[in-house]
Amino acid sequence: MKALIVDDNPSVVAILTEILKIDGHEVFTASNWDDAKRELDLRKPDIMFLDSIVDQKSMMSFVDELDESINTRIVLILNGREQIPKDTSLIVRSIKKPFNSTEVLEAVNFVGGGCTNVPKSVEKKTKWYKFLMKSKDGSGSVEKYVSDNPVMHGKSYIVFEDEPEKIYNLATKFGGINGDVLIITGGRKKAIETKVNLDDPSYITLSRTSKEDYVDIKALGTLMFRIMEHIRNNFWPVIIIDDLTQIIDNNDLNSVLTFIYQIYKGASGPVTLAVSVKEALLTEKDKLLLFRYMEEYKPDEEESKGDESNGR
């Protein structure tokens, strides 16, 4: 499918481009009204992701000038509490910032399917039901595993440390309660395997250069796509980012904070995220933002609380 992205924010364009290209689509971009018109005439895209405000101008005037007989269907990128206009047949879907890869690909599939709603998969509901009823090995209920462990699924944790160490202790605990653990690291996989006691965790290894089996540490869109795949394909996903400091150092801090928020927004069910980060990198405002979704993990205090920690 041919996709045109019309947005003047390079970060948004980069993330959308990565998501669409990974899914096999041909992508073109425009950052202003004139370029968008030219690309529409030249490329004749099947779908256009159009920001509602481009170059400080509302793009609705641009939409009003389009011939409604064209084959391009528009997915409007909304900011804040804007609503999708109802007076044009060209706009068939909307996504709100900050969006995630699932929303983008659902919009693409919607257009590719002729703009008709497709029933949700029954498989996800079945997997969810089975998981809530019993544990994977059949030795007890999920509720028993959770209540017997000082860390809890469905909660997320932040570990303040200069170098990753305590985070591996936390990863091991989630593995002990049947978590489907994904470890995202900039280190060596073999070295980390000696620090965690997990049956069969998944790994994503980050790199500053393009290498086979590595994800570019600056490609947050690609990383988000891989994370959402893990969340969709597992019963109770646990995402461990062992060195968020490294990701912040290679990207803009605000982009990384938005990336964290998108993980929660994109999950259709309970998901646990645990990150290790150097505390000095974060302002008090940054911490307050993260604490909306996470609580600080302190191993010594957790151990001393025992089962009482479940009532927090």
Side-chain angles (χ1 to χ4, degrees):
M1 185 179 291
K2 291 182 181 180
L4 172 62
I5 302 168
V6 184
D7 199 307
D8 58 2
N9 185 326
S11 297
V12 173
V13 172
I15 290 174
L16 270 173
T17 299
E18 286 182 37
I19 293 170
L20 292 168
K21 283 189 173 180
I22 287 173
D23 204 46
H25 304 289
E26 192 175 1
V27 181
F28 309 98
T29 66
S31 59
N32 58 60
W33 198 319
D34 292 335
D35 287 349
K37 285 182 178 179
R38 185 164 49 252
E39 290 296 317
L40 268 176
D41 292 338
L42 179 64
R43 311 294 183 181
K44 295 181 172 46
D46 304 291
I47 187 171
M48 174 166 57
F49 286 88
L50 176 66
D51 199 329
S52 60
I53 303 291
V54 176
D55 199 20
Q56 299 183 343
K57 299 175 184 176
S58 171
M59 293 304 283
M60 287 314 302
S61 297
F62 168 71
V63 175
D64 290 340
E65 292 183 11
L66 298 178
D67 184 344
E68 294 213 358
S69 65
I70 65 173
N71 293 323
T72 303
R73 292 296 171 259
I74 298 173
V75 176
L76 202 59
I77 305 172
L78 301 176
N79 300 274
R81 297 184 179 181
E82 297 168 309
Q83 297 297 317
I84 183 171
K86 304 292 185 182
D87 56 351
T88 173
S89 62
L90 293 177
I91 300 176
V92 297
R93 198 93 173 202
S94 68
I95 55 177
K96 287 189 177 182
K97 296 178 182 178
F99 53 80
N100 57 66
S101 58
T102 300
E103 292 169 303
V104 173
L105 296 180
E106 282 180 351
V108 171
N109 291 335
F110 180 73
V111 172
C115 299
T116 57
N117 289 316
V118 179
K120 292 184 178 179
S121 170
V122 177
E123 181 188 3
K124 287 189 177 180
K125 291 184 178 179
T126 304
K127 288 171 68 177
W128 179 245
Y129 174 79
K130 285 181 179 179
F131 182 68
L132 287 177
M133 291 299 294
K134 62 182 180 180
S135 64
K136 288 181 179 177
D137 61 7
S139 62
S141 68
V142 170
E143 287 79 7
K144 180 177 185 299
Y145 275 101
V146 171
S147 64
D148 285 349
N149 199 287
V151 296
M152 293 180 65
H153 272 309
K155 282 195 173 184
S156 290
Y157 300 87
I158 183 167
V159 185
F160 291 122
E161 53 185 347
D162 289 347
E163 296 292 335
E165 194 62 46
K166 299 173 186 175
I167 190 72
Y168 300 126
N169 171 274
L170 182 57
T172 296
K173 289 185 177 181
F174 276 115
I177 47 177
N178 280 1
D180 299 292
V181 180
L182 169 65
I183 297 176
I184 299 168
T185 180
R188 294 175 62 249
K189 178 181 172 182
K190 287 185 178 180
I192 293 166
E193 286 175 337
T194 65
K195 298 179 180 180
V196 296
N197 183 17
L198 298 170
D199 288 338
D200 189 24
S202 300
Y203 285 89
I204 293 177
T205 307
L206 305 176
S207 173
R208 293 183 181 87
T209 58
S210 297
K211 297 180 181 179
E212 190 176 356
D213 298 328
Y214 287 75
V215 171
D216 187 337
I217 198 167
K218 294 184 178 181
L220 295 182
T222 301
L223 184 56
M224 175 62 69
F225 184 86
R226 296 279 298 275
I227 289 172
M228 298 315 298
E229 270 192 327
H230 180 81
I231 291 173
R232 285 194 303 269
N233 295 334
N234 289 287
F235 286 116
W236 205 324
V238 179
I239 313 299
I240 305 289
I241 303 178
D242 72 353
D243 195 356
L244 194 67
T245 300
Q246 209 175 43
I247 298 177
I248 292 172
D249 286 345
N250 286 274
N251 295 274
D252 175 71
L253 175 58
N254 289 332
S255 297
V256 176
L257 293 177
T258 300
F259 165 79
I260 294 293
Y261 171 69
Q262 287 178 329
I263 294 174
Y264 293 102
K265 191 171 183 291
S268 57
V271 60
T272 290
L273 172 66
V275 304
S276 171
V277 65
K278 187 182 295 185
E279 187 172 6
L281 285 180
L282 305 175
T283 66
E284 288 304 315
K285 185 178 179 181
D286 297 332
K287 291 179 190 176
L288 287 174
L289 179 64
L290 290 171
F291 284 147
R292 288 174 57 188
Y293 313 105
M294 302 176 172
E295 60 184 62
E296 185 177 356
Y297 174 70
K298 297 179 180 179
D300 293 336
E301 291 184 16
E302 290 278 356
E303 299 292 351
S304 65
K305 288 177 182 176
D307 287 345
E308 292 180 0
S309 64
N310 290 322
R312 289 177 301 169

